[in-house]
Amino acid sequence: MSRRLFRKFVNLLALALSGLATAVGLLFLGAILWTLAKDGFAGMSAAVFTQNTPPPGSTSGGLLNAIYGSVIMTVLGIAIGAPIGILAGTYLAEYGRNSPLSAVIRFINDVLLSAPSIIIGLFVYEFVVVPMGNFSAISGAIALAIIAMPVIVRTTEDMLNLVPQGMKDASTAMGAYPWRTITSIAYPAARSGMVTGMLLAVARISGETAPLLFTALNNQFWSTNLKAPMANLPVVIFQFALSPYDNWQQLAWAGALLITAAILVLSIAARVAVSRLGPGSGRK
Amino acid sequence: MSSAEAFETHLAGQRLRERIFRGSTLAAAVLLLLLLGGVVVSLLHGAWPAFSRFRLSFITHDVWNPVTDSYGALSAIYGTIVTSALAMIFALPVSFGIAVFLTELAPPWLKRPVGVAIELLAAIPSIIFGIWGLFVLAPLLQASVEPWMDSHLGAVPLVGALFQGAPYGIGFLTAGIVLAIMIIPFISAVMRDVFETVPDVLKESGYGLGATTWEVIWKVVVPYSRTGMIGGIMLGLGRALGETMAVTFVIGNAHHISASLLAPGTTISAAIANEFTEATTPLYTSSLIALGVLLFVITFAVIAAARLMLLRLGRRALASV
């Protein structure tokens, strides 16, 4: 084979393999979604949304308490994590843009962003559960807040950095103090990007299982007490999927479908928000 | 009150608000620092009984026995390293291929949907990968791949021991594959972003010299983006090392070191997830937290190194992670 043909052959082979790799990646996505849809819809019924998790041996039951618990803890997690995350992101982007402290915090935030979530669970266990004396929904929400925070810090900082300096300068020239410029000019300009960050944070924490295992634990019954263990979808899926009961496994699949559907909708919504509105729709 | 005085009060109010707002942003930022400090301190505090009791033997012993209250982390460390290594071996070529496809090969109309689809794979929570691995992948491997490995590769000298044994379906190999599927989106997203930072002029000069697409990728794009690629790979490795739920389902949870990849084992994170709420003695709980300390040290080192490498590229390349 001539050198030229050989080079062409290598080229074709490499490009074909890269196409193949992409096909493999998409195949896994397809396979997982297909299994989820098949087994998830099979396990879906009105009871899933109207009944609590069943005791062992029972043939009925649903996921009502787990869905409620997941929603409550996710909302609480964001309610705790978002204000702190936005304020910290504001410091990094505005007040401390070039300070050495910010460089350190940025780095720490990046590390927290990819730290294993089970470590956060252990931390909250030591820091909240042990002093409180029992597992509780509030400790689960705190664990989720800590996981959501780095995501929000990161997007807030990035979005504030996209706001044109001229806009902020104009506000300053009018005599506004920085807090006024930030809250009345920068935040509105960066709003859609910050909302996107929040959606991504919700998507991230609503499927988290490991940090809830030893904070919120699980609860077979309906509970609205934040100081007591609370059922939640991920931990229920974990326990039910590994159980020997058929109806538990079916419920696990139904729960898995619910979570995945919610997260995919959130992620797609976040993307649409960015591409439709741009990172800062307010400034156009 | 004169208008000048009113203005003064107004200004004082503005200054007060400025101080409060500035102070609270600073406090929130410092809270992040304290958080990491708190993680370190509380983990060390919880792990202290185990570390002071077993000292160095905690990481050199492979016996994990709750009955005799004796704990050694070696089998879990071994499992963590083996599953992560397997995941990297599977994920690297595929991620590289995806990144090449997305940056150099895909027609524009295909680029965005495929890119988004791969990113959606990253958004799926790990517990979903876990049950999928347990109910779909494990039976598949058990029925076809593992018996084939045992009978065809098991007799090969040197490497044969890796593939011997009964096909359980769950074990190091299955965990490695599930982990690989999980980290492919992360690694390929970073690689794609890094590849896109290569200036067109560089690539065009490659083509101008008559290079093929592959030659431009291998000899221009890859060398140019080496640091970023390694950063992305290590970020993926950090995920694989710390991943919990996906592994817990398919690893088999046996505190066992075995040469065969088909055998069940355990990882640091899987052991914590499985046993923490069942830990009956304080020493047991403390040993599990000590496992957490080990995991934290390992992943912190890997992630910190990855972030430092990616720092050079500026922050945009990290936006998708």
Side-chain angles (χ1 to χ4, degrees):
Chain A
M1 203 179 339
S2 79
R3 170 121 184 98
R4 185 163 154 270
L5 269 179
F6 177 73
R7 287 174 54 210
K8 274 194 162 172
F9 171 74
V10 169
N11 184 42
L12 272 181
L13 184 71
L15 297 185
L17 284 178
S18 84
L20 185 71
T22 311
V24 168
L26 293 178
L27 182 80
F28 281 127
L29 179 68
I32 290 172
L33 291 182
W34 190 75
T35 313
L36 266 179
K38 185 173 65 98
D39 293 348
F41 280 118
M44 206 61 86
S45 66
V48 168
F49 302 98
T50 56
Q51 294 182 24
N52 290 336
T53 45
S58 146
T59 51
S60 61
L63 295 167
L64 180 62
N65 53 343
I67 295 172
Y68 171 82
S70 271
V71 171
I72 288 294
M73 281 188 271
T74 304
V75 169
L76 267 180
I78 288 291
I80 300 169
I84 302 175
I86 289 176
L87 285 174
T90 307
Y91 179 80
L92 295 182
E94 304 289 343
Y95 288 115
R97 187 175 277 193
N98 300 314
S99 77
L101 177 68
S102 293
V104 174
I105 291 173
R106 235 170 249 136
F107 181 70
I108 297 291
N109 192 59
D110 282 351
V111 170
L112 283 174
L113 197 62
S114 14
S117 55
I118 194 161
I119 301 277
I120 306 295
L122 283 178
F123 163 64
V124 174
Y125 173 84
E126 278 287 306
F127 211 72
V128 182
V129 176
V130 172
M132 266 180 75
N134 63 314
F135 298 104
S136 62
I138 189 71
S139 61
I142 292 174
L144 294 182
I146 295 176
I147 292 166
M149 238 181 270
V151 182
I152 298 176
V153 171
R154 176 59 158 289
T155 40
T156 304
E157 189 198 354
D158 287 352
M159 292 309 144
L160 287 178
N161 278 335
L162 287 178
V163 177
Q165 188 61 39
M167 270 173 73
K168 296 182 209 163
D169 290 347
S171 165
T172 310
M174 300 280 285
Y177 274 89
W179 75 269
R180 175 60 98 181
T181 303
I182 293 167
T183 52
S184 303
I185 306 294
Y187 282 166
R191 192 187 316 139
S192 79
M194 287 162 71
V195 169
T196 300
M198 218 104 69
L199 288 179
L200 289 177
V202 174
R204 169 90 199 265
I205 63 175
S206 51
E208 279 291 351
T209 316
L212 294 179
L213 283 174
F214 17 86
T215 53
L217 202 66
N218 196 359
N219 193 337
Q220 196 193 314
F221 306 103
W222 174 263
S223 165
T224 55
N225 184 357
L226 291 180
K227 290 182 185 163
M230 191 182 267
N232 55 88
L233 277 175
V235 176
V236 167
I237 294 172
F238 178 50
Q239 290 181 350
F240 279 20
L242 291 172
S243 77
Y245 311 109
D246 276 347
N247 67 318
W248 281 24
Q249 291 190 5
Q250 277 200 341
L251 282 175
W253 281 110
L257 177 63
L258 280 180
I259 286 193
T260 312
I263 288 173
L264 291 187
V265 167
L266 279 170
S267 321
I268 293 172
R271 268 160 234 285
V272 170
V274 167
S275 64
R276 282 275 164 77
L277 307 168
S281 61
R283 73 195 155 88
K284 288 206 172 146
Chain B
M1 194 157 47
S2 75
S3 69
E5 279 170 349
F7 187 62
E8 270 308 312
T9 359
H10 172 75
L11 270 188
Q14 289 287 313
R15 274 195 294 269
L16 179 65
R17 288 187 206 183
E18 175 63 23
R19 267 210 300 280
I20 293 172
F21 187 73
R22 192 193 162 100
S24 42
T25 62
L26 179 64
V30 170
L31 186 71
L32 284 173
L33 273 184
L34 295 180
L35 210 55
L36 194 74
V39 171
V40 173
V41 169
S42 70
L43 284 188
L44 284 178
H45 173 255
W48 186 244
F51 278 139
S52 62
R53 169 76 183 276
F54 302 116
R55 297 181 188 274
L56 207 60
S57 77
F58 186 73
I59 48 174
T60 56
H61 250 263
D62 68 338
V63 177
W64 186 270
N65 192 338
V67 179
T68 58
D69 229 14
S70 165
Y71 306 97
L74 192 62
S75 54
I77 298 173
Y78 174 81
T80 298
I81 294 173
V82 169
T83 50
S84 299
L86 277 175
M88 297 313 286
I89 292 171
F90 295 133
L92 272 188
V94 177
S95 310
F96 180 73
I98 292 176
V100 167
F101 180 83
L102 286 179
T103 48
E104 310 294 333
L105 214 56
W109 58 270
L110 202 60
K111 222 175 209 178
R112 191 163 157 74
V114 172
V116 169
I118 298 287
E119 281 165 26
L120 286 185
L121 194 59
I124 294 178
S126 59
I127 191 166
I128 307 295
F129 288 92
I131 51 174
W132 182 81
L134 179 66
F135 288 108
V136 179
L137 188 64
L140 199 75
L141 292 175
Q142 187 176 22
S144 54
V145 180
E146 293 188 355
W148 181 87
M149 282 181 163
D150 187 31
S151 57
H152 288 78
L153 302 176
V156 178
L158 289 178
V159 296
L162 290 176
F163 305 106
Q164 280 167 4
Y168 291 100
I170 51 177
F172 295 119
L173 179 70
T174 316
I177 295 176
V178 172
L179 275 180
I181 301 173
M182 283 199 65
I183 59 176
I184 283 171
F186 291 103
I187 303 182
S188 46
V190 176
M191 279 194 185
R192 178 196 59 186
D193 291 349
V194 175
F195 286 173
E196 275 173 358
T197 63
V198 178
D200 284 336
V201 175
L202 278 186
K203 291 195 260 182
E204 281 157 9
S205 27
Y207 287 120
L209 290 170
T212 62
T213 310
W214 171 248
E215 285 162 349
V216 168
I217 293 165
W218 194 244
K219 292 176 181 166
V220 177
V221 174
V222 169
Y224 185 88
S225 35
R226 185 172 293 133
T227 320
M229 280 175 69
I230 296 175
I233 292 166
M234 293 183 70
L235 217 51
L237 179 62
R239 289 239 168 210
L241 289 167
E243 176 45 46
T244 309
M245 298 322 292
V247 174
T248 305
F249 275 96
V250 293
I251 188 73
N253 304 307
H255 283 274
H256 232 349
I257 296 184
S258 50
S260 173
L261 299 180
L262 310 186
T266 194
T267 67
I268 294 178
S269 49
I272 302 173
N274 256 309
E275 301 172 32
F276 200 82
T277 47
E278 292 164 9
T280 40
T281 66
L283 191 61
Y284 195 176
T285 305
S286 173
S287 299
L288 287 167
I289 296 177
L291 278 183
V293 172
L294 295 182
L295 182 64
F296 182 78
V297 171
I298 298 171
T299 49
F300 186 87
V302 171
I303 295 170
R307 292 290 176 187
L308 284 176
M309 286 177 154
L310 288 167
L311 220 54
R312 281 208 227 159
L313 295 162
R315 297 168 63 73
R316 158 151 164 61
L318 286 161
S320 49
V321 193

